[in-house]
Amino acid sequence: NAGVTQTPKFQVLKTGQSMTLQCAQDMNHEYMSWYRQDPGMGLRLIHYSVGAGITDQGEVPNGYNVSRSTTEDFPLRLLSAAPSQTSVYFCASSYIGRPGTGELFFGEGSRLTVL
Amino acid sequence: KNQVEQSPQSLIILEGKNCTLQCNYTVSPFSNLRWYKQDTGRGPVSLTIMTFSENTKSNGRYTATLDADTKQSSLHITASQLSDSASYICVVSAEGSWGKFQFGAGTQVVVTP
C-alpha cells in the first residue's frame, strides 16, 4: 500500500518557469489537499478537493492551480515560479467519513527552490 | 494571527525522561484537534485525533489531553526515546469548515542520550 506519493522530491526552478507537482493516493480518499511548509510557520493550505471535479481555494492559493480529474490524482501547477514559492510542499488525503475526524495522510514532501 | 499557538518552540530532553508540549487555540466553533509527529525530511504522521467530547487519548507512550473550555491541549511523551526526536504539530479544525485545518508551527523535540 503506497499511501500518498509525491513527485518530484526535489526541484530547482528559475523565476518565471512553470512546473507541476504530482500527487497520487491509492486509498480511494475523497479529500485531497496541498500545503506549503515554511520555516517557523505552520503548514498553510493552498488548494483542496473533496472529490473528482471539485476544487476550492485554501489560505494561500495565489500563483497555484489545481485540478482533480480522478479520485487518485491531484496535481499542483505553478504557473510562473517566483522566489517566494521556495518551500516544501506536502500533499495530504483523507476519507471525509464521520464529519471532521478522517485521519489525514501526508506524502513525503516536495522541496522546491526558485532562483 | 495564527489561531493555533504551540509552546515551547523547542526543547531538549534526556532519553528516558518525560515531557509535555502545549497547544492553545482560538479556532471556533471547535470540531476536533489532532497531534502529528514530523520527522526531519518526512511528512507528518498522525498521533491522535480528539473531538469535543474526548478529553484524553493515548497512542503508546503519547498521551494527548484536551480542555475545550479553556481551548488548550497538551501532548505528554512518557519515557522518551531517541526516535521521539521530531517536530510535534497541533492541528485544529472548525465545525463546518471541514478540509480547512489550522496548523500550529510545531514544537521541535530533541532527545539526547
Side-chain angles (χ1 to χ4, degrees):
Chain A
N1 189 345
V4 179
T5 303
Q6 291 183 232
T7 56
K9 286 186 166 41
F10 301 93
Q11 183 72 48
V12 179
L13 290 178
K14 294 181 179 177
T15 297
Q17 287 185 318
S18 63
M19 76 157 299
T20 299
L21 299 177
Q22 301 290 346
C23 177
Q25 53 91 9
D26 61 359
M27 298 172 281
N28 203 32
H29 286 167
E30 305 99 323
Y31 173 84
M32 295 187 74
S33 55
W34 278 101
Y35 295 86
R36 60 178 289 171
Q37 186 174 40
D38 299 297
M41 302 181 70
L43 277 81
R44 292 181 293 169
L45 181 65
I46 304 171
H47 286 286
Y48 68 100
S49 168
V50 296
I54 306 170
T55 63
D56 205 349
Q57 296 181 349
E59 183 184 353
V60 288
N62 292 340
Y64 308 95
N65 269 2
V66 292
S67 59
R68 183 97 179 266
S69 56
T70 67
T71 300
E72 294 79 18
D73 300 301
F74 191 47
L76 178 72
R77 296 181 187 84
L78 282 71
L79 306 174
S80 178
S84 61
Q85 293 179 305
T86 293
S87 188
V88 181
Y89 292 84
F90 287 97
C91 179
S93 73
S94 175
Y95 284 118
I96 293 177
R98 186 157 56 99
T101 58
E103 182 175 341
L104 202 55
F105 291 85
F106 285 86
E108 291 298 298
S110 297
R111 185 175 294 275
L112 175 67
T113 301
V114 182
L115 304 175
Chain B
K1 186 180 185 301
N2 198 350
Q3 297 184 61
V4 180
E5 299 286 347
Q6 292 187 242
S7 62
Q9 267 191 316
S10 62
L11 73 130
I12 301 172
I13 59 173
L14 288 175
E15 186 178 12
K17 300 296 187 183
N18 304 334
C19 69
T20 300
L21 317 179
Q22 300 292 339
C23 174
N24 294 342
Y25 62 92
T26 58
V27 175
S28 182
F30 174 81
S31 174
N32 62 82
L33 184 145
R34 305 153 187 253
W35 283 95
Y36 282 81
K37 178 187 180 190
Q38 185 176 22
D39 293 318
T40 301
R42 308 292 297 274
V45 174
S46 178
L47 293 175
T48 64
I49 301 173
M50 288 185 291
T51 59
F52 185 90
S53 60
E54 297 172 299
N55 53 27
T56 302
K57 185 164 280 191
S58 292
N59 179 354
R61 294 180 297 100
Y62 301 102
T63 299
T65 66
L66 173 65
D67 186 334
D69 291 332
T70 62
K71 298 187 177 181
Q72 295 179 325
S73 176
S74 65
L75 181 70
H76 187 76
I77 305 175
T78 302
S80 60
Q81 301 177 358
L82 297 178
S83 59
D84 293 329
S85 294
S87 178
Y88 292 85
I89 302 171
C90 177
V91 186
V92 184
S93 57
E95 195 70 46
S97 298
W98 206 96
K100 293 187 177 183
F101 302 93
Q102 296 293 330
F103 286 76
T107 292
Q108 186 68 44
V109 173
V110 175
V111 181
T112 64

